[in-house]
Amino acid sequence: MRAVFFKGKDQPLVIQQIKKFKPVKDQVLIRLHNAALNHRDLWTWREQTLPGSEGIILGSDGSGIIEDVGEEADTLLIGSEVIINPSLDWGSNSVVQGNTFRILGFPDNGTFSDYIVISKKYVFEKPEHLNFAESAAVPLSGLTAYRALFSKARLRSKEKVLITGVGGGAALWVLQFAVAYHGRVYVTSGSDEKLIKAKALGAIAGFNYKDTEWQQKAVKESGGGFDIIIDSAGGDQFSKLIELALPGGRIVNFGRTAGNITNISTRLLYWKQLSIHGTTMGTRDEFLSMLDFVENRKIKPVVDQIFPLEKIEDAVKRMEQGDQFGKIILQIS
Ligand SMILES: NC(=O)c1ccc[n+]([C@@H]2O[C@H](COP(=O)([O-])OP(=O)(O)OC[C@H]3O[C@@H](n4cnc5c(N)ncnc54)[C@H](OP(=O)(O)O)[C@@H]3O)[C@@H](O)[C@H]2O)c1
């Protein structure tokens, strides 16, 4: 079987032939059809160091068919079309993950591979209305977006929601969930073309964050500001989000694409009685609720481009350049 190995910070990703995995105990062996990229794969490649030289198989998202099972898993599972919940060992507290929490794909071997073995507790039926490529786009970013919007920001219909950097995989899920829940959605992007695409998906208006006057335009278009702001960029522009939040507003951040936040106005924070939430991934219950939401409303993820597994470096480069609108998918079989 083929697998994409991360061998160390900034070293080329290597596709290697390795011995096919064998499931043990409650594990299932999944023949992967598709995997999806997340910014996390890029962070891992660019930032992480490895303890040994063997390498780690990257990838948090995958879809495929169960081909074999360990002795504690039912053989009836064989042949099931499935997706994987990459939120491993969350722990018992829904508020925050426990000490053993991990995200599939580092340090555990992930989905950029012909096969994966994983405990059956992380495996769920593929949504019926989605093909394998679309299904691979669901788990990590869908889960993160769901927890951010519903568990943390507690969206109510008709509320005004601003989503930053809408071209990203996770941000687009927030857009689709918020539109489906009848939020009034506004977006930012560094690309006018992506703003047009976001409007086609239901955004009321969009603002280019490279335009020095985008904040004033956002105040005007939204009639004063936003109840909820979902941000995955951080960085210096975060201070603008504090200004754009309505009194009593909720801001949720789950990413650092634009770096650390160094310049928050403390006075605005307390005077407007704002709530700022950090969030990461989500619980098993949230994963199930997210799947229900996607299935009941027949939501289809936005797929940017599909690359064959061998073209992994081209796929990662597309993400690094920020050219994508939606999920970048790998075709495995
Ligand atoms: N904590 C978690 O559990 C979790 C889960 C998922 C993702 N994340 C984090 O969330 C971020 C997005 O992840 P992803 O997988 O969706 O990545 P992605 O598909 O690569 O999206 C990144 C997006 O960031 C936007 N961006 C870049 N610079 C920006 C800026 N200065 N201001 C606003 N937006 C900017 C871009 O949007 P435009 O192209 O529209 O400009 C780009 O599309 C990453 O930092 C990732 O690590 C965290």
Side-chain angles (χ1 to χ4, degrees), residues 37-40 43 103 140-141 144 164-171 188-191 194 209 231-233 237 254-258 279-281 319 322 324 326-327:
L37 257 65
N38 289 286
H39 217 89
R40 179 172 198 274
W43 295 131
I103 301 172
L140 188 147
S141 44
T144 306
T164 63
V166 76
T188 76
S189 175
S191 147
K194 292 186 190 183
Y209 55 71
D231 175 56
S232 54
Q237 295 230 21
F254 57 81
R256 58 177 170 106
T257 315
T279 190
T280 281
M281 303 290 286
M319 173 166 274
Q324 80 278 20
K327 296 296 290 183

Side-chain angles (χ1 to χ4, degrees), residues 88-152:
L88 308 181
D89 258 332
W90 177 275
S92 55
N93 184 356
S94 63
V95 174
V96 64
Q97 68 273 27
N99 289 337
T100 55
F101 172 75
R102 291 141 8 254
I103 301 172
L104 182 64
F106 189 88
D108 300 68
N109 282 326
T111 56
F112 296 173
S113 175
D114 282 323
Y115 289 93
I116 187 169
V117 277
I118 189 157
S119 163
K120 66 178 184 193
K121 67 182 177 204
Y122 299 121
V123 174
F124 296 82
E125 256 178 59
K126 171 179 94 54
E128 230 175 79
H129 69 292
L130 302 181
N131 61 32
F132 280 104
E134 290 162 340
S135 298
V138 175
L140 188 147
S141 44
L143 174 63
T144 306
Y146 188 89
R147 181 172 164 94
L149 190 62
F150 296 116
S151 308
K152 296 286 182 165

Side-chain angles (χ1 to χ4, degrees), residues 108-251:
D108 300 68
N109 282 326
T111 56
F112 296 173
S113 175
D114 282 323
Y115 289 93
I116 187 169
V117 277
I118 189 157
S119 163
K120 66 178 184 193
K121 67 182 177 204
Y122 299 121
V123 174
F124 296 82
E125 256 178 59
K126 171 179 94 54
E128 230 175 79
H129 69 292
L130 302 181
N131 61 32
F132 280 104
E134 290 162 340
S135 298
V138 175
L140 188 147
S141 44
L143 174 63
T144 306
Y146 188 89
R147 181 172 164 94
L149 190 62
F150 296 116
S151 308
K152 296 286 182 165
R154 301 199 166 273
L155 171 67
R156 292 179 294 243
S157 67
K158 306 279 190 295
E159 282 190 311
K160 288 185 281 178
V161 183
L162 177 69
I163 302 160
T164 63
V166 76
L172 270 168
W173 273 119
V174 181
L175 167 68
Q176 289 183 285
F177 290 165
V179 168
Y181 205 73
H182 305 296
R184 289 185 280 157
V185 181
Y186 300 78
V187 297
T188 76
S189 175
S191 147
D192 290 341
E193 209 180 303
K194 292 186 190 183
L195 292 175
I196 292 167
K197 289 184 183 170
K199 282 199 227 165
L201 289 169
I204 294 169
F207 317 102
N208 191 323
Y209 55 71
K210 291 177 183 162
D211 172 356
T212 49
E213 287 175 11
W214 80 263
Q215 187 189 353
Q216 292 90 312
K217 289 178 183 167
V219 171
K220 195 164 167 228
E221 285 276 347
S222 64
F226 304 93
D227 303 291
I228 292 175
I229 301 177
I230 309 284
D231 175 56
S232 54
D236 284 343
Q237 295 230 21
F238 192 87
S239 63
K240 291 194 169 35
L241 308 184
I242 303 271
E243 290 170 26
L244 286 168
L246 286 167
R250 293 91 80 198
I251 302 176

Side-chain angles (χ1 to χ4, degrees), residues 9-73:
K9 190 170 163 328
D10 281 339
Q11 290 184 34
L13 300 173
V14 187
I15 300 182
Q16 268 176 234
Q17 287 288 342
I18 56 168
K19 200 165 162 239
K20 191 166 153 187
F21 295 133
K22 183 148 183 49
V24 294
K25 296 186 179 166
D26 74 339
Q27 287 179 333
V28 297
L29 173 76
I30 303 170
R31 170 90 170 116
L32 290 159
H33 280 221
N34 291 95
L37 257 65
N38 289 286
H39 217 89
R40 179 172 198 274
D41 304 307
L42 185 58
W43 295 131
T44 304
W45 188 25
R46 295 294 186 216
E47 295 181 359
Q48 290 287 352
T49 45
L50 277 176
S53 56
E54 219 173 80
I56 300 280
I57 303 172
L58 289 181
S60 305
D61 281 331
S63 61
I65 297 181
I66 296 182
E67 203 179 274
D68 196 4
V69 295
E71 59 282 10
E72 291 164 24

